[in-house]
Amino acid sequence: MEFRLLGTVSITAEAGELPLGPAKRRSVLAALLLRANSVVPVDRLIDTVWAEDPPARARTVVQGHVSRLRALFEQGGADDYGVELATRSQAYELRMPDRLLDTHRFEELVQLAGHQKHPGDAVLMLREALALWRGPALTGTVASEPLLVAAQALEETRLVTVEQLAAAYGRLGEHTRAAAVLRAEASANPLRESLTAALMLSLYRAGHQSDALDCYHRTRGLLADELGVDPGPALRAAYEAVLRGLTTTPPQTVAVAAVADGPVRAEHPPRPAATDEITPSVAAVRDADAGPGTGPGAGTDAGASPGAGAVPGPAGHHALAEMPVDGAATGTGPGTGTGAGAGAPQWPAPDLLPRTPRGFLGRERELEELDAAVDAARVAIVTGPAGVGKTALALQWAHRRAPRFPDGVLYADLRGFSPDEGLDAADVLREFLLALGVPPRRVPESPTAAAALYRSLTEDRALLVVLDNVRGADTAGPLLPAGARSAAVVTSRLRLGGLVVSELARPVPLGVLGVDESAALLAAAVGTDRVAAEPAAARLLASLCDGLPLALRVTAAQLAARPHWRLSDLAAELADEQRRLALLSVDGCAGPDAQGVAAALHLTVQGLPEEAARLFRQIGALPGPDLDRNAAAALLERPPAVAAEALDRLCDAHLLTEYAPGRHTLHDLVRLYARRLRPDDAALLRLLDHYMYTAMAATKTAEPDDLPCCTLPGNAHRPPATPHFAGRDAALLWYAAERDNLAAAVAAARAAGHHDRAWRLALLQWPYMLWNSHDGWVPLLEAAVDSTAREHDPDAESRARALLGWLLTQEDRLPEALVHLRLAPGLAARAGEPSSEATALVNLAVALDASGVSEESLAHTARAIALVRDGDDVITELLALEHRAQQLLAAGDPAGALACARRGLTLDGDTVNGLLGVRHSMLTATMGAALLDLGDPTAAAPALTRALELGLAHGYKETVQRAEKELRRLRETVGG
């Protein structure tokens, strides 16, 4: 609930602004608010409500307005805020906490701003104070004399505050901002000389001397025309300072001092007794009967104003001067005598640290890193996933290092990842200020004021501040100590990059425990004998728990509750992925992670931005071990840039880890939790289609001259973006990076019945298989063969069997290879696909030739050449010619081999890239060997040399080995 006088008189409750009604009711409320917590006679209310003679029934009308205000208070839940409108005989008293009134908050901010050591802090508080104004004070009320006097007093405080803000800007050297603040006010109050003088000096310091002089002459003319007077000493002094080019002005000139460089001190009157503590506006109403010259603005006519840093009214004194610890003399409270050379504080150093965590093991390297981070940056951020032990590490370190900080240790659990909204920084600030010796009644209500006081109190101390479970940098910022001898340790599941930027904080990433450390943690919880009896089971449990301390502790609790269980019994239970997360939860545990791993992850996910949370849900569909921004874009159905931002947010929350540039993975327990969130039904299909589109692009880039091995399904979903590959090497690198994902995608597609995607995703990897043929591809292609058969696609089945047969041949598994290779040509023929049939025939011939060239294998290559001759499938024709040339050479027909080789070399130039270049290198080597067999070493030499060059250029070892072998034979022949 909030009561407003600085603008339209109003009351705001949780549901919005309350309907106050007519001006007289607002006037009654204003009069009560101006004397809040004091008795206001009905007669004074009548004088306030009626500007002229009140009617005979004025008392009844006031009572009616009071009754209506009570109803409005009840409607706004006033009781919950400690607000009561009580009757006191022939008077009323509005009881309420001061903090609910905007004039109180305004005064508090101005008062504290006047005593800040740093002008930047003063600027923040003064701007916040002026932001409370929503128009002229007491708008919407009757124009009675008491309210007019109060409004004028409040306006005077506002103008003085504007001058103070300009002065603070001036001390920062921001004279242009100071001039901007003053210009509008000087225009609205042209006869207020203090504003004009301050504006002149700000303009001059901002480099606008002519504008400054123009202000003076314009104001001098107005004073003469309107009042018949000359400028006062403040305005004249400013004029002379500008003329003479001075950067400072005479100290006796109030208006000039208001914008002088450096802090300006002012004497303040003593504060009255607590019962008389009122805001300036209250004083104005109390003194209204004495006439308009006796309130807080008295004596501040057009030629004079309060000094810089002064606060009108009796409350403008140093806030810290009244903050002694109970029983201590003034001056020995917070902020006095606490520096390194000023003696010890007069109260015990606070120690808010919880106890040292039990069962803390290892982490010596991380403790050393935390030491180094604090020494280097004074602010360290311990980051890591939920349950990794960040709090335990921070508390362990803090207990060890507390003696370094003789002025105490402050600790707060911000509960940033709790089911509720966590603690607000303002609440923690209050606790810290109380711990530092500030009496409760002196803790500022305004968060800005409280933060400024906290900075003042910590500036000269050696404090350690531990902020646990912080969600945002903005929450931690106001709680960091100001002193150079102080330090802060922050823990968070997020990376808090804002603190790194603003405070140069040093991150200390905390990872999961290793196997040995995990086993040690189990041993500490369930006994070393139990773990020593089953070391292999202990290591398996550590693996199933992902080395996560929270999971290990829950596992230990499960074992402790089941003393008759062996470790291997629980390991067998945890091996079931469907039950693992359920087993890793224990009811009744203490702490924010009471319900175990799933609960901790739930709280992390709950606080994610919308896109990041949606991506995390969709990641449950991810079959492979990792993903990049393009895969994430497909899952989200959003552009890669949006997906990259979501990935960053998940990394910030330690739900993902960027283990290599652009590649993200997640721990097994996090993966299991993501799967429980159930992605939308189409998420897997979108991901499969992303891989399919990208593999098509990679194939086209790696082997641009070959025909596509497949077309896309008619219902394929085009992803938001398909990567562009700069060249063949980039495409092959993509295949290498995505191999595990593609294999998992094939398995997931088959499990979901998407066989049309499964076989394509397998076959589209053929360019990478060609260069890595001995790398365990057989199971993948066997799955592809099965999927093509289920799809009843004979051409796809032919291609899958031909590729599988070739790979089995490379592995010397000829009987298995021939099973597939003898079926492949007939399938292609049935589909009417000559290129597929030719490829299958060549691969069959290669397998048959492993036992020696035969009439059958020669017939297969001849048939293959005939199928693709004069067609557009150059690669397959070259493949057939290359193998047939080698067959003829092995069969003792060098002339036939030479003819085949020369035919192939006419199909394209020998400098081509990719498979064309490889085929040409082999054909060139065969041509050289044939020439050598025909007794023409002179012609053979350049051909073999060229073959060696091409083999090296394309990185094709088979050509290099053949060329080197034939060149040795050439040298032996020539030498012989």
Side-chain angles (χ1 to χ4, degrees):
M1 200 169 195
E2 182 181 11
F3 294 86
R4 298 174 178 173
L5 294 175
L6 304 179
T8 300
V9 175
S10 61
I11 309 172
T12 302
E14 287 186 7
E17 188 170 316
L18 300 180
L20 278 177
K24 286 185 171 59
R25 189 172 302 144
R26 290 180 191 271
S27 301
V28 170
L29 175 63
L32 293 168
L33 288 172
L34 288 165
R35 295 178 63 85
N37 299 309
S38 298
V39 174
V40 182
V42 173
D43 290 342
R44 181 178 287 274
L45 291 177
I46 292 173
D47 292 341
T48 301
V49 171
W50 279 273
E52 300 179 355
D53 294 336
R57 51 190 293 272
R59 185 176 296 272
T60 302
V61 172
V62 168
Q63 290 172 344
H65 286 311
V66 169
S67 177
R68 180 55 186 156
L69 285 174
R70 284 181 173 139
L72 285 172
F73 287 176
E74 183 178 355
Q75 176 184 337
D79 288 345
D80 296 336
Y81 295 91
V83 177
E84 178 188 8
L85 180 48
T87 301
R88 297 286 184 267
S89 183
Q90 299 298 310
Y92 298 101
E93 181 182 3
L94 179 53
R95 295 176 176 176
M96 58 181 293
D98 288 341
R99 67 177 183 277
L100 300 183
L101 186 58
D102 59 355
T103 54
H104 171 80
R105 297 199 304 278
F106 173 77
E107 178 195 7
E108 181 182 66
L109 286 165
V110 172
Q111 188 178 77
L112 284 172
H115 302 288
Q116 295 307 303
K117 295 180 180 179
H118 304 295
D121 291 335
V123 164
L124 289 175
M125 281 183 275
L126 292 170
R127 286 180 61 179
E128 184 176 346
L130 290 169
L132 294 171
W133 286 74
R134 297 170 176 83
L138 307 183
T139 296
T141 59
V142 174
S144 62
E145 183 176 355
L147 293 181
L148 287 174
V149 169
Q152 290 168 2
L154 287 168
E155 176 64 10
E156 177 66 24
T157 65
R158 188 186 71 82
L159 290 174
V160 169
T161 303
V162 170
E163 292 171 347
Q164 289 177 332
L165 176 59
Y169 274 132
R171 291 195 294 276
L172 286 173
E174 297 184 9
H175 303 296
T176 300
R177 285 192 174 186
V181 166
L182 293 165
R183 193 186 294 274
E185 299 298 341
S187 176
N189 301 272
L191 298 179
R192 185 180 177 93
E193 292 187 52
S194 59
L195 279 173
T196 303
L199 176 59
M200 286 174 60
L201 291 171
S202 295
L203 287 170
Y204 171 73
R205 290 172 178 144
H208 304 290
Q209 184 178 20
S210 61
D211 290 342
L213 294 174
D214 182 62
C215 283
Y216 173 78
H217 292 300
R218 186 169 57 250
T219 304
R220 185 182 64 176
L222 283 172
L223 289 171
D225 294 342
E226 299 290 334
L227 304 177
V229 298
D230 291 328
L235 193 56
R236 289 198 306 273
Y239 176 61
E240 292 171 3
V242 172
L243 283 178
R244 295 166 56 193
L246 298 177
T247 57
T248 57
T249 51
Q252 70 272 18
T253 305
V254 175
V256 177
V259 293
D261 291 335
V264 180
R265 300 190 179 276
E267 295 297 327
H268 302 288
R271 190 178 182 90
T275 54
D276 294 329
E277 291 178 9
I278 53 176
T279 64
S281 52
V282 178
V285 174
R286 285 190 173 175
D287 295 335
D289 292 339
T294 60
T300 58
D301 58 14
S305 67
V311 179
H317 69 297
H318 199 306
L320 297 188
E322 290 197 328
M323 293 185 182
V325 177
D326 293 344
T330 302
T332 63
T336 61
T338 62
Q346 300 301 308
W347 63 93
D351 184 1
L352 303 185
L353 272 184
R355 63 172 175 80
T356 303
R358 293 193 179 95
F360 185 88
L361 296 170
R363 300 293 197 189
E364 292 304 322
R365 178 178 57 82
E366 290 85 350
L367 289 168
E368 291 175 1
E369 290 177 358
L370 192 48
D371 266 332
V374 169
D375 289 342
R378 310 306 294 170
V379 179
I381 311 171
V382 180
T383 65
V388 81
K390 300 178 293 296
T391 299
L393 180 77
L395 291 179
Q396 182 75 11
W397 182 89
H399 277 282
R400 289 187 184 183
R401 300 295 181 257
R404 293 186 186 177
F405 304 95
D407 290 329
V409 183
L410 301 176
Y411 169 88
D413 181 356
L414 279 299
R415 299 177 57 81
F417 305 94
S418 297
D420 53 26
E421 295 183 358
L423 294 184
D424 188 74
D427 297 330
V428 179
L429 270 176
R430 177 177 177 81
E431 297 302 318
F432 281 5
L433 289 173
L434 293 173
L436 292 171
V438 179
R441 66 191 182 94
R442 293 302 177 204
V443 175
E445 295 290 345
S446 163
T448 302
L453 179 58
Y454 177 68
R455 284 194 297 272
S456 298
L457 294 179
T458 59
E459 191 165 23
D460 296 323
R461 301 192 188 193
L463 281 167
L464 173 62
V465 178
V466 180
L467 305 175
D468 201 9
N469 290 308
V470 174
R471 178 172 286 281
D474 55 342
T475 304
L479 303 174
L480 299 178
R485 297 184 300 122
S486 295
V489 174
V490 178
T491 78
S492 181
R493 298 180 190 179
L494 307 179
R495 291 188 292 199
L496 301 184
L499 281 184
V500 178
V501 173
S502 63
E503 304 293 337
L504 296 180
R506 184 74 62 87
V508 180
L510 192 60
V512 297
L513 296 174
V515 174
D516 292 337
E517 289 177 316
S518 299
L521 187 90
L522 286 174
V526 303
T528 55
D529 293 343
R530 201 169 174 187
V531 170
E534 296 182 88
R539 296 174 72 86
L540 179 57
L541 282 174
S543 175
L544 292 170
C545 291
D546 260 358
L548 194 68
L550 172 60
L552 289 163
R553 288 177 180 273
V554 174
T555 298
Q558 298 280 12
L559 290 169
R562 298 171 175 85
H564 58 286
W565 276 36
R566 296 178 304 164
L567 272 63
S568 55
D569 294 331
L570 183 56
E573 294 287 325
L574 288 176
D576 182 356
E577 290 188 351
Q578 302 300 319
R579 299 192 57 213
R580 191 179 306 168
L581 284 176
L583 288 168
L584 293 177
S585 64
V586 175
D587 295 330
C589 296
D593 299 314
Q595 297 178 12
V597 176
L601 292 171
H602 169 73
L603 296 176
T604 302
V605 174
Q606 188 175 288
L608 291 172
E610 180 181 354
E611 291 285 9
R614 180 166 172 260
L615 176 58
F616 186 74
R617 291 194 297 273
Q618 305 296 50
I619 282 176
L622 186 71
D626 63 5
L627 77 166
D628 62 7
R629 61 188 293 178
N630 294 301
L635 287 171
L636 272 179
E637 290 188 287
R638 300 280 278 145
V642 175
E645 176 68 19
L647 287 170
D648 282 346
R649 298 291 74 77
L650 293 178
C651 287
D652 285 344
H654 293 90
L655 293 169
L656 293 182
T657 300
E658 188 176 13
Y659 70 93
R663 303 210 64 85
H664 304 78
T665 189
L666 62 167
H667 290 292
D668 286 345
L669 293 178
V670 178
R671 185 188 303 276
L672 290 176
Y673 181 75
R675 287 175 181 168
R676 286 176 45 172
L677 300 182
R678 296 183 180 177
D680 67 64
D681 294 337
L684 175 61
L685 199 57
R686 291 196 304 272
L687 187 65
L688 296 176
D689 288 352
H690 152 70
Y691 286 134
M692 197 164 52
Y693 269 91
T694 308
M696 289 281 281
T699 301
K700 187 174 182 180
T701 303
E703 303 300 344
D705 298 305
D706 200 6
L707 296 179
C709 70
C710 63
T711 58
L712 292 169
N715 63 347
H717 183 279
R718 180 177 289 277
T722 300
H724 170 75
F725 297 103
R728 187 163 176 271
D729 289 344
L732 293 178
L733 283 173
W734 179 82
Y735 279 120
E738 297 288 356
R739 178 173 176 181
D740 289 342
N741 287 325
L742 292 172
V746 171
R750 284 170 51 77
H754 301 306
H755 292 286
D756 56 342
R757 268 74 171 176
W759 71 260
R760 286 176 169 88
L761 287 170
L763 262 62
L764 281 167
Q765 299 178 65
W766 73 264
Y768 189 64
M769 295 179 188
L770 181 68
W771 295 92
N772 300 273
S773 57
H774 296 275
D775 207 9
W777 297 102
V778 170
L780 179 71
L781 286 172
E782 287 176 338
V785 167
D786 180 72
S787 288
T788 59
R790 291 172 183 271
E791 286 291 298
H792 305 291
D793 187 335
D795 181 53
E797 187 176 351
S798 171
R799 290 175 180 270
R801 289 187 183 276
L803 183 54
L804 174 56
W806 180 80
L807 287 166
L808 287 166
T809 302
Q810 299 301 303
E811 294 184 4
D812 293 326
R813 297 162 64 178
L814 292 177
E816 297 171 71
L818 289 171
V819 170
H820 296 285
L821 291 172
R822 290 195 183 280
L823 292 171
L827 288 165
R830 193 171 80 197
E833 292 291 341
S835 289
S836 296
E837 185 180 356
T839 300
L841 287 168
V842 172
N843 288 358
L844 175 57
V846 170
L848 292 170
D849 287 346
S851 301
V853 177
S854 64
E855 290 296 327
E856 181 187 358
S857 67
L858 284 168
H860 290 326
T861 55
R863 171 64 178 159
I865 292 169
L867 284 168
V868 292
R869 177 169 289 171
D870 302 325
D872 58 357
D873 190 356
V874 175
I875 289 290
T876 303
E877 185 175 358
L878 280 172
L879 173 67
L881 287 168
E882 174 200 327
H883 190 67
R884 184 164 179 81
Q886 291 187 56
Q887 284 180 317
L888 293 172
L889 195 61
D893 184 5
L898 182 60
C900 273
R902 283 176 170 165
R903 159 69 181 160
L905 292 173
T906 63
L907 293 180
D908 218 316
D910 62 2
T911 58
V912 289
N913 295 319
L915 276 181
L916 279 173
V918 170
R919 301 299 176 218
H920 275 262
S921 72
M922 290 294 287
L923 284 166
T924 305
T926 301
M927 183 175 67
L931 288 168
L932 190 56
D933 283 355
L934 290 170
D936 191 355
T938 303
L944 292 172
T945 302
R946 180 60 180 157
L948 179 61
E949 293 172 351
L950 287 172
L952 291 170
H954 293 292
Y956 196 54
K957 293 181 180 178
E958 188 174 345
T959 298
V960 172
Q961 290 169 354
R962 284 194 64 202
E964 289 178 341
K965 177 183 176 182
E966 295 300 328
L967 284 170
R968 285 195 298 271
R969 187 161 71 95
L970 173 64
R971 287 192 291 270
E972 291 170 359
T973 300
V974 174

